[in-house]
Amino acid sequence: GFTKNGNTSDRIHVLDMTDGRRWNQIPREIATRRDFYSADIPGLEPDWAEKYLAKIENVHAPVRRKIRDTQALPTDELELDNLLNFVAITAVRVPKIRKIMVRPLLESGQRFLRAIVASPEAFRESNERVGITTPASRAEYEEARTFVESGEYELDLDQVTHLKGLYYGTDLLLKWLSQQAWSLVIADPAAPDFVFTDCPVVPIHRPRHWQELGIRPRKMPTDIVMPISRRLLLWGLTCRRDIHPPLSAPTELVLSFNAIIVGQAERYVF
């Protein structure tokens, strides 16, 4: 989230969408998950990935400050690439997107388990493949089948696999972001602030009522938005690399963006 004075020691307003609670808190203390990027890799500290992500944020910070100061997107190719790298990493690193990325693997694991207990023969063959030569009793098979079918367990992936997903997901998204035409949306002085959530990079459909504001709707969700301050928002528009002039956003447009952003939140709105 963004504080009023831009100081990280200041507090921001937080809304928990699961229970409606509201409070003010320092940004670094909000929506944190302990050991979310920790991994046991020989020769590396467990928190090496978190430290690496922090370094990346520091590299990209000057570009974001320049945008806030100049009220314009960078025209320098390197600065724009830095900005898009930041957007890609910010999009992929959050818990909601991790869940989406690993869902196909977990669903595959569920299908594998169901195949193992589909019949006593399949259960026996599975045991033999892992070196269990003692035949399972009918009671053991039924116990395993009942457990798998109950769904009273949770599959997960190891942290190294999650980190690989972060790397490959960022790389894949960056290729798509580099094809977008980017515009900076600036909230009018009389308009409210942009909101920020725990899922800060949001794909959007353009609402049809935006035609009244001179913005053509699109059927495919090729647009992407990300607030970068209380008054500024990045908008990736089309499938060709370009920079569009800044767009002045009246109250109605800011509220439309905010509604879309809040709709994609996992839990917290700032």
Side-chain angles (χ1 to χ4, degrees):
F2 309 108
T3 60
K4 286 186 176 181
N5 61 12
N7 191 328
T8 56
S9 63
D10 199 3
R11 294 177 179 268
I12 60 175
H13 185 77
V14 185
L15 167 64
D16 188 334
M17 297 179 63
T18 61
D19 56 18
R21 290 186 301 124
R22 298 171 180 265
W23 69 94
N24 295 321
Q25 196 165 358
I26 298 173
R28 66 174 177 270
E29 297 176 351
I30 300 170
T32 56
R33 298 200 181 186
R34 186 178 299 276
D35 300 328
F36 192 62
Y37 300 106
S38 295
D40 293 326
I41 299 177
L44 295 174
E45 297 179 0
D47 61 346
W48 71 270
E50 189 66 48
K51 291 179 178 178
Y52 179 72
L53 291 171
K55 289 181 179 179
I56 292 177
E57 288 188 3
N58 290 335
V59 170
H60 301 153
V63 179
R64 303 199 304 277
R65 283 196 296 268
K66 183 177 180 180
I67 294 172
R68 289 193 291 267
D69 293 342
T70 63
Q71 302 282 284
L73 293 179
T75 56
D76 178 80
E77 193 75 13
L78 179 58
E79 289 183 339
L80 183 58
D81 284 343
N82 281 339
L83 177 63
L84 297 186
N85 269 278
F86 172 73
V87 175
I89 292 172
T90 302
V92 174
R93 66 183 293 183
V94 298
K96 179 179 178 179
I97 301 304
R98 173 189 280 193
K99 292 176 184 177
I100 294 173
M101 291 173 59
V102 304
R103 187 180 299 155
L105 294 175
L106 298 181
E107 290 175 349
S108 178
Q110 291 282 6
R111 290 192 296 270
F112 176 73
L113 289 176
R114 287 194 293 269
I116 288 175
V117 297
S119 68
E121 293 75 19
F123 189 63
R124 174 182 55 78
E125 292 174 359
S126 175
N127 284 342
E128 290 176 351
R129 283 195 296 269
V130 296
I132 301 176
T133 57
T134 304
S137 66
R138 183 73 186 191
E140 289 173 327
Y141 163 70
E142 291 295 343
E143 181 181 4
R145 184 177 64 82
T146 300
F147 175 74
V148 170
E149 293 179 350
S150 72
E152 296 178 355
Y153 55 90
E154 183 176 348
L155 298 180
D156 200 357
L157 304 174
D158 63 274
Q159 284 291 77
V160 173
T161 301
H162 282 306
L163 289 172
K164 288 180 179 179
L166 174 66
Y167 173 79
Y168 290 115
T170 299
D171 186 61
L172 182 64
L173 181 58
L174 185 58
K175 293 176 181 177
W176 181 64
L177 295 178
S178 66
Q179 297 174 347
Q180 301 294 97
W182 291 91
S183 181
L184 185 66
V185 182
I186 305 173
D188 284 350
D193 291 337
F194 292 112
V195 297
F196 197 80
T197 76
D198 52 8
C199 190
V201 182
V202 180
I204 68 170
H205 295 271
R206 300 183 198 172
R208 294 197 172 278
H209 71 267
W210 283 11
Q211 293 181 84
E212 301 171 3
L213 301 171
I215 300 171
R216 183 180 177 183
R218 293 179 65 89
K219 294 182 179 180
M220 298 299 292
T222 53
D223 289 2
I224 192 165
V225 297
M226 176 184 174
I228 58 172
S229 78
R230 297 164 66 94
R231 310 300 295 173
L232 301 175
L233 175 140
L234 289 176
W235 188 4
L237 288 155
T238 64
C239 291
R240 60 184 180 83
R241 181 74 175 261
D242 199 2
I243 297 295
H244 284 194
L247 173 67
S248 180
T251 296
E252 182 182 2
L253 186 56
V254 172
L255 293 177
S256 292
F257 275 124
N258 284 348
I260 293 169
I261 292 168
V262 170
Q264 294 293 322
E266 181 180 32
R267 179 174 181 177
Y268 296 106
V269 178
F270 313 114

